[in-house]
Amino acid sequence: MTPQPRTRTQLPKRTVSIIGTGSYLPERVLTNAELEKMVETSDDWITSRTGIRERRIAAEGEFTSDLAAKAAQSAIENAGITAEEIDLIIIATITPDHFMPSTACIVQTKIGAKRAVCFDISAACSGFLYAVEIAQQFITSHTYNTILVVGADKLSSIVNWKDRNTCVLFGDGAGAAILRHRAHGHGVIATRMGSNGQLAELLQVPGGGCACPITAENAGERLNTIRMEGRETFKHAVTNMVESARQVLDDAGLTPADLACVIPHQANLRIISAVAERLEVPLERIMVNLDRFGNTSAAAVAIALDEANRTGRMKVGDYVLLVVFGGGMTWASSVIQW
Ligand code: ACO
């Protein structure tokens, strides 16, 4: 009998590995001492409430696509591949260079990934893990082999520098990963994603879209900047990150004691400590770099992953948990065997 060609759904499930990571932070450092001169705040308040000491701010002519392209190039080098090998580019961002074209298309040209299909996704601080899950689905379905995922944001472009409730929290940066099927290797074991649009108003940029365009009349209201109900956001962040982490560990058949490293979204040290305490993971196994970079939205977990990779915090075979939370509201967690 002539063998029938196998459809994609009949093909064997493939292991999806992160084969390289990269990141880029702009040169300009903005310290808490400098913020003291801009709004009524203090280094002591910022450090004790958030753990942030300084953050990076992109130059005026440096855009999200520039940050993303530099992070992508460093991930390509780390993976030991060429840009032409990339089949798909997904950029997670809430600060695209333009509404159209996508930032992914701009990055494609900047890095010379001529063969790649390109699109952006919007899931605020959860964007990088959402994009990793999309990439993993494309690889396991045998649609693409090599995917570049980038979390990149120039939050300084949507911060109200007169609002002390928010301007002390955010920074600019980009983190990237190359995902590929690896026949004999470790990879992404399980991922959980969640969203709750009913909580959208707790963290939003109300203006600039078609529902509320910026006009000459409302230009002074800074509607195209971040508004946040900090205390409520904090509570939902802790609850959903813990719940999501427990679910994904359960899916993976692991317990917190099995984890060599936890890489959380870098929003606030108190959120990270509360999550660590509830999961019963000692703080020394948690990756923290928000003291140097603040909250860089979609980039944060990707930058932390790259730092953990390059500083040898994860050895081959280690179990690593990534867990994120952001506007939408959105959250996600992934267990990866490194
Ligand atoms: N300096 C000095 N005082 C300040 C500042 C500041 N920068 N900001 C706020 N305050 C004051 C407030 O006005 C308030 O004063 P009042 O009591 O007289 O009214 C007081 O400090 C306490 O304010 P709270 O908002 O209750 O402070 P809290 O302890 O909750 O910390 C913070 C605020 C840091 C924003 C915290 O709530 C937080 O981290 N929330 C979550 C942030 C987050 O995770 N975001 C999600 C991801 S972001 C994304 O998706 C893009």
Side-chain angles (χ1 to χ4, degrees), residues 41 45 49 125 164-165 203 230-231 267-268 270-271 295 326-327:
T41 190
W45 191 97
R49 297 289 178 125
C125 304
R164 70 173 184 173
N165 291 297
L203 180 53
R231 232 175 255 185
N268 184 317
R270 288 188 295 140
I271 293 177
N295 180 351

Side-chain angles (χ1 to χ4, degrees), residues 102-169:
S102 70
T103 301
C105 279
I106 301 171
V107 169
Q108 176 194 31
T109 306
K110 286 187 174 166
I111 65 172
K114 295 190 191 100
R115 291 180 44 253
V117 171
C118 309
F119 61 84
D120 294 354
I121 64 152
S122 169
C125 304
S126 307
F128 180 76
L129 278 197
Y130 271 48
V132 166
E133 173 64 2
I134 295 168
Q136 124 116 352
Q137 295 293 339
F138 271 123
I139 295 171
T140 48
S141 68
H142 299 251
T143 309
Y144 297 120
N145 279 320
T146 305
I147 302 183
L148 165 66
V149 170
V150 187
D153 269 306
K154 182 177 176 174
L155 287 184
S156 62
S157 67
I158 56 164
V159 160
N160 177 355
W161 290 102
K162 290 191 182 336
D163 176 14
R164 70 173 184 173
N165 291 297
T166 53
C167 77
V168 302
L169 306 173

Side-chain angles (χ1 to χ4, degrees), residues 178-333:
I178 306 283
L179 281 84
R180 183 178 262 183
H181 161 60
R182 201 152 47 184
H184 306 287
H186 305 127
V188 181
I189 296 175
T191 299
R192 284 268 183 160
M193 302 191 292
S195 314
N196 183 354
Q198 287 185 327
L199 301 173
E201 285 182 8
L202 294 181
L203 180 53
Q204 59 170 336
V205 178
C210 68
C212 179
I214 304 303
T215 61
E217 288 72 41
N218 69 22
E221 294 174 50
R222 298 172 200 272
L223 296 170
N224 57 340
T225 60
I226 299 173
R227 309 283 161 96
M228 184 173 72
E229 301 278 343
R231 232 175 255 185
E232 279 305 301
T233 302
F234 190 112
K235 282 191 246 166
H236 289 292
V238 174
T239 311
N240 287 300
M241 287 169 83
V242 170
E243 174 78 14
S244 164
R246 284 188 179 140
Q247 283 172 345
V248 85
L249 284 169
D250 204 40
D251 293 345
L254 299 171
T255 70
D258 297 314
L259 298 170
C261 185
V262 177
I263 307 180
H265 175 46
Q266 307 286 310
N268 184 317
L269 190 56
R270 288 188 295 140
I271 293 177
I272 292 175
S273 305
V275 171
E277 193 182 320
R278 289 183 196 195
L279 291 177
E280 295 183 40
V281 177
L283 271 177
E284 57 271 16
R285 278 197 266 143
I286 315 274
M287 180 68 206
V288 177
N289 64 10
L290 58 72
D291 51 321
R292 285 169 287 138
F293 307 132
N295 180 351
T296 54
S297 189
V301 78
I303 294 169
L305 174 68
D306 183 47
E307 187 171 329
N309 183 22
R310 284 168 197 267
T311 55
R313 286 197 60 153
M314 304 169 299
K315 290 179 208 67
V316 174
D318 276 354
Y319 292 110
V320 181
L321 169 72
L322 292 94
V323 54
V324 294
F325 183 84
M329 303 208 119
T330 55
W331 55 91
S333 49

Side-chain angles (χ1 to χ4, degrees), residues 56-121:
R56 299 298 180 91
I57 304 294
E60 214 171 294
E62 192 174 34
F63 307 125
T64 298
S65 65
D66 297 309
L67 312 180
K70 285 183 177 151
Q73 269 152 349
S74 117
I76 288 166
E77 209 178 294
N78 186 247
I81 64 163
T82 63
E84 283 85 4
E85 292 175 61
I86 296 168
D87 299 308
L88 174 66
I89 300 175
I90 312 173
I91 309 259
T93 185
I94 52 166
T95 51
D97 289 17
H98 310 279
F99 284 137
M100 186 172 67
S102 70
T103 301
C105 279
I106 301 171
V107 169
Q108 176 194 31
T109 306
K110 286 187 174 166
I111 65 172
K114 295 190 191 100
R115 291 180 44 253
V117 171
C118 309
F119 61 84
D120 294 354
I121 64 152

